[in-house]
Amino acid sequence: MNPETEFREGLDELASHYKSIIELLGEDPGREGLLKTPMRVAKAMQILTRGYTQDAHKVLLDALFEEKYSQMVIVKDIDFFSLCEHHMIPFYGKVHVAYIPNGYITGLSKIARVVDIFSHRLQVQERLTLQIKDCIQDTLKPLGVMVVVEAKHMCMQMRGVEKQNAITTTSDFSGAFNQAKTREEFMNLLHSEGKHI
């Protein structure tokens, strides 16, 4: 889906709902500045949730290469933006991925695409972490995968406790990363250049 030219079915209905929401919030959707807002928001929401129409497994399989390399491959500092499913307010940060190939590798950009697909859905950080790990593990069948996500949640910054600098870190791992020494090696390489957000 090209977010600038292609939109999913239901766009007009979505815009109609946003018009009603604007009214329920106490605004006038007929006001000049708001006339096009319902459609703008509907299009934006379809872009922000485009991951529902994309297959992360296929992205990895389309760039699968046989390779005897069997040391850790790390793709770190992958920027992501997602919508918290509890308040539909953004959370954002960095994803760091490591995997140990078992006969096959994938294009490095494809790891970032997997992150992009799962983050462009209504999410919680814990599930996002798990989905990225499971997709890479199930598709590439490596010796192990580890994913670390560091994020700031605007639902904590803009509402509720209103804490501006809190960072939430989640991780998940499989295979060789069940060994503390392997996890430690990844974490040392990950943080060798300091803070990420």
Side-chain angles (χ1 to χ4, degrees):
M1 172 177 163
N2 179 341
E4 299 305 318
T5 58
E6 298 173 30
F7 293 95
R8 306 196 296 275
E9 194 175 332
L11 188 64
D12 289 333
E13 186 178 357
L14 197 55
S16 174
H17 286 296
Y18 278 113
K19 182 178 179 183
S20 297
I21 287 169
I22 290 169
E23 284 182 300
L24 289 167
L25 292 174
E27 257 290 2
D28 174 13
R31 183 163 63 77
E32 183 182 10
L34 292 172
L35 277 174
K36 295 182 180 179
T37 297
M39 183 55 74
R40 286 192 194 105
V41 178
K43 288 179 176 179
M45 289 303 292
Q46 284 204 355
I47 292 168
L48 294 173
T49 59
R50 67 179 180 253
Y52 288 119
T53 65
Q54 299 170 329
D55 186 341
H57 296 276
K58 185 177 185 305
V59 165
L60 292 178
L61 288 172
D62 284 348
L64 193 63
F65 308 104
E66 193 169 348
E67 190 59 58
K68 295 192 184 302
Y69 185 81
S70 60
Q71 300 301 312
M72 199 179 299
V73 177
I74 300 173
V75 183
K76 66 179 186 175
D77 294 334
I78 303 168
D79 291 315
F80 82 93
F81 299 87
S82 193
L83 288 176
C84 166
E85 68 179 33
H86 299 145
H87 303 100
M88 292 177 68
I89 295 175
F91 67 100
Y92 61 95
K94 305 275 188 188
V95 176
H96 317 287
V97 177
Y99 76 98
I100 301 173
N102 187 19
Y104 292 92
I105 60 171
T106 190
L108 297 176
S109 68
K110 305 307 178 186
I111 300 292
R113 288 279 294 121
V114 168
V115 171
D116 186 66
I117 288 169
F118 287 118
S119 63
H120 279 79
R121 300 177 182 183
L122 300 181
Q123 277 290 9
V124 294
Q125 183 174 333
E126 296 86 346
R127 186 191 311 119
L128 175 64
T129 308
L130 179 66
Q131 287 177 331
I132 296 166
K133 186 266 296 179
D134 283 348
C135 180
I136 295 168
Q137 182 65 51
D138 295 345
T139 310
L140 300 183
K141 305 201 182 318
L143 297 174
V145 180
M146 185 163 178
V147 176
V148 175
V149 179
E150 300 174 303
K152 290 187 174 184
H153 291 251
M154 294 190 76
C155 58
M156 283 182 65
Q157 294 175 308
M158 296 175 66
R159 56 161 301 283
V161 294
E162 296 185 12
K163 299 302 178 193
Q164 306 306 312
N165 298 307
I167 296 173
T168 301
T169 302
T170 50
S171 66
D172 198 6
F173 49 86
S174 65
F177 288 94
N178 283 300
Q179 299 175 28
K181 184 179 178 183
T182 310
R183 290 197 307 276
E184 194 175 308
E185 179 186 349
F186 173 44
M187 296 306 287
N188 286 340
L189 289 167
L190 186 61
H191 293 293
S192 59
E193 294 178 16
K195 196 174 179 182
H196 295 280
I197 296 182

